[in-house]
Each structure stands twice: as structure tokens, then as C-alpha cells.
Amino acid sequence: MKNFFFIILTLFVPTQYLYALIEVDITRGNLDPLPIAVSPLHVDIKSDNHENINVKELGSNISKIIEINFKNTGLFNPLKKEAFVQKPDIAHLKPRFEDWRLIKAQALVTGKLLVKNEKLKVEFRLWDLTAAKEMTAVAFTTTPSNWRRVAHIISDKIYQRLTGEEGYFDTRIIYVSESGPKSQRIKKLAIMDQDGASTKYLTLGNELVLTPRFNPTNQMVTYLSYF
């Protein structure tokens, strides 16, 4: 009888004392982008003029691409250059960390470049403003026409150092470009950077091309062609 009586009482306990309903609405992730300052790369005064490239603006153009790459990830918040106090040439040698911390930056990218004898040499440094120390420093030498790719490679190095994951900015995309009316479509094999720049056509459009693929070394392309 004791066991039976206990069961009856348990069954008649009001349900509001047995269950508590908790509702949690998740509308978005709570991830604050890292404030990062990308200083324009200092152009060495010893640089030669180039017939196809504006060397004076090259440092600003490279830093602009790096900013766009970072902003597109959603993980970084590139700060406006109007708030920068220190000049690019001085900042690259020794940043005044307190000046950069005043604008709430947590990381700083500085660099310099030299165009000499048809060669482009680019150096960059990544600074930890909180710890007031250099995180990484890398230099590249290439032809001046490869300046956009240098910007993507720098972005990859910084991204990997700050996130621990490999960057994807120096990536090429192979695709089939289509143009013309619906009844006479012209398909060409094309390649471009991951940001849509530097588009190059690999075929003339005389034949139908399909299913392009990079080989494992990413130095050759295979595709299906109908003559």
C-alpha cells in the first residue's frame, strides 16, 4: 500500500513544478571583427619609373587590396587611413605603438617596396599592438607586373599568422566564360584571381569547352573540348 500511495501522489503533482521551459533565440553570431590597420607601403625614393605602372601609387594600391581581402572575410575590420598618425616610412621601421592603440587598432601591417632594374622587392611586417612586438616579417622579389599577386600573398601570410589557418587570397579560379545571344553562345576557357581581377582567356571560343580542372600542381589545366 505504501508503494501504491506514493505513485498516486507523484502522478498528481502539478506539471508546472516538474517542467521549466527555456527558450533561446539565436539570431546571429557574436563575433567582433579584429580592428587592423594596414599602412600604405612606403615607396623607396631610389625606385625606377615604370612605363606601365605608377610606382608612386603602388604602395597605396597594394595596401588597398590587402584591406579589401581582410574586409571580405568578415573577421577583420580595416581602419580608415584618415585616422593614421604615423607616416608609412617611419611606421615600418619602428611603430609608435601608443599612437596606433589610440585608434583602437590591435594589429598593424607596414611595408616598403623598391622597383629597380625591372624587379619589384616588397617587404612587410605584422605588428602586435597589444604586446608591442613584431609578429612576422617577410620579403618578396618578383616582376613589377605581379604586384597584385604580391598583395594576395601578403594577405595569406597575415591571415595565417593571425588565425592559424592557411589563407586563400592567392587563389586562381578556372571557369567557362559565356557570351553572345542564346542561340549562338560563345564559350571560352578563362582564369582569374579569387577577387575577379586579372582575367585571362585561354581559348578563342572556336570550340565548345567544358569541365576545366587544375592538375594537382596547379600549373596545368585539363578540359573537355568539342571540335
Side-chain angles (χ1 to χ4, degrees), residues 60-215:
S60 297
N61 292 338
I62 291 177
S63 66
K64 185 176 180 180
I65 292 178
I66 296 173
E67 284 185 356
I68 295 174
N69 286 339
F70 288 164
K71 189 174 182 63
N72 288 341
T73 66
L75 301 176
F76 301 94
N77 178 28
L79 302 178
K80 294 182 179 179
K81 289 182 171 59
E82 290 78 6
F84 297 176
V85 177
Q86 203 170 19
K87 293 183 178 180
D89 54 340
I90 302 175
H92 182 64
L93 296 176
K94 183 64 176 179
R96 291 193 299 269
F97 297 106
E98 60 276 8
D99 288 348
W100 296 98
R101 286 194 291 260
L102 284 176
I103 61 174
K104 309 298 183 183
Q106 297 183 23
L108 169 66
V109 179
T110 64
K112 70 175 182 178
L113 62 88
L114 172 67
V115 178
K116 199 75 173 177
N117 300 325
E118 294 298 319
K119 293 291 184 181
L120 169 64
K121 182 179 180 181
V122 179
E123 302 176 12
F124 84 92
R125 294 180 181 178
L126 174 63
W127 305 87
D128 183 346
L129 299 179
T130 304
K133 66 178 183 180
E134 181 183 286
M135 297 182 67
T136 187
V138 183
F140 305 96
T141 301
T142 182
T143 58
S145 59
N146 281 337
W147 66 270
R148 289 188 62 90
R149 189 176 182 191
V150 168
H152 292 314
I153 293 175
I154 292 175
S155 301
D156 283 341
K157 297 295 183 182
I158 297 171
Y159 184 88
Q160 185 174 9
R161 185 64 179 85
L162 293 176
T163 67
E165 299 180 359
E166 290 189 8
Y168 55 87
F169 305 107
D170 184 32
T171 300
R172 293 175 298 171
I173 300 173
I174 188 81
Y175 66 102
V176 176
S177 172
E178 295 189 23
S179 61
K182 293 182 178 181
S183 57
Q184 295 180 338
R185 300 295 285 173
I186 298 176
K187 295 186 177 184
K188 298 180 182 179
L189 197 64
I191 190 171
M192 68 178 180
D193 294 344
Q194 55 83 24
D195 58 356
S198 303
T199 299
K200 296 180 181 179
Y201 295 100
L202 307 181
T203 58
L204 300 176
N206 298 329
E207 67 275 353
L208 178 65
V209 291
L210 298 169
T211 62
R213 298 289 188 273
F214 280 111
N215 75 329

